[in-house]
């Protein structure tokens, strides 16, 4: 169940629909201060991270967002302990650009792992 609060969290099924559900969730929970370009960038990045989690991670798949009035922090958790590795994708590649996109659009991003999986997060303001 998804909760629209200043800190929202949503557990998603590991399925092809997960990225669109994550985008819709993020649009619901984002505070008014983070509309416009910040929200557009965050929606694009969460879609990339959830797609990676569906393809390379495993359940549980959780998206969380928190607005503090200055920055929007988004976290994607999955059940794999393998850290994502940025790749060099050529112009014709159909995949491989997600982490480069997150790096270029966010103020900061990172990965935290534990025994139960990993959190890939980013901050935009």
């Amino acid at each position: 169940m998804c909760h629209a609060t200043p800190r929202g969290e949503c557990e998603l099924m590991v399925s092809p629909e997960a990225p669109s559900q994550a985008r819709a969730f993020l649009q619901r929970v984002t505070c008014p201060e983070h509309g416009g370009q910040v929200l557009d960038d965050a929606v694009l990045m969460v879609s990339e991270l959830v797609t990676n989690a569906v393809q390379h991670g495993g359940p549980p798949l959780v998206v969380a967002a928190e607005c503090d009035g200055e920055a929007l922090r988004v976290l994607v958790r999955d059940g794999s302990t393998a850290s994502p590795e940025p790749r060099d994708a050529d112009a014709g590649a159909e995949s491989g650009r997600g982490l480069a996109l997150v790096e270029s659009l966010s103020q900061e991003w990172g990965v935290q792992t534990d025994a139960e999986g990993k959190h890939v997060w980013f901050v935009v303001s």
Side-chain angles (χ1 to χ4, degrees), residues 14-69:
V14 177
S15 72
E17 293 80 27
S20 66
Q21 293 168 347
R23 290 190 299 270
F25 163 75
L26 195 57
Q27 290 169 330
R28 282 194 314 272
V29 301
T30 304
C31 63
E33 289 83 10
H34 294 117
Q37 188 66 40
V38 169
L39 180 58
D40 291 345
D41 289 349
V43 165
L44 179 59
M45 290 185 283
V46 80
S47 186
E48 293 292 333
L49 294 182
V50 170
T51 297
N52 286 350
V54 168
Q55 292 176 347
H56 307 291
L61 175 54
V62 177
V63 177
E66 185 170 12
C67 299
D68 67 7

Side-chain angles (χ1 to χ4, degrees), residues 42 45-46 49 72-74 102 106 108-110 120-124:
M45 290 185 283
V46 80
L49 294 182
L72 170 64
R73 180 179 171 96
V74 178
V102 170
S106 66
E108 61 180 316
W109 75 281
V120 182
W121 56 269
F122 63 84
V123 175
V124 289

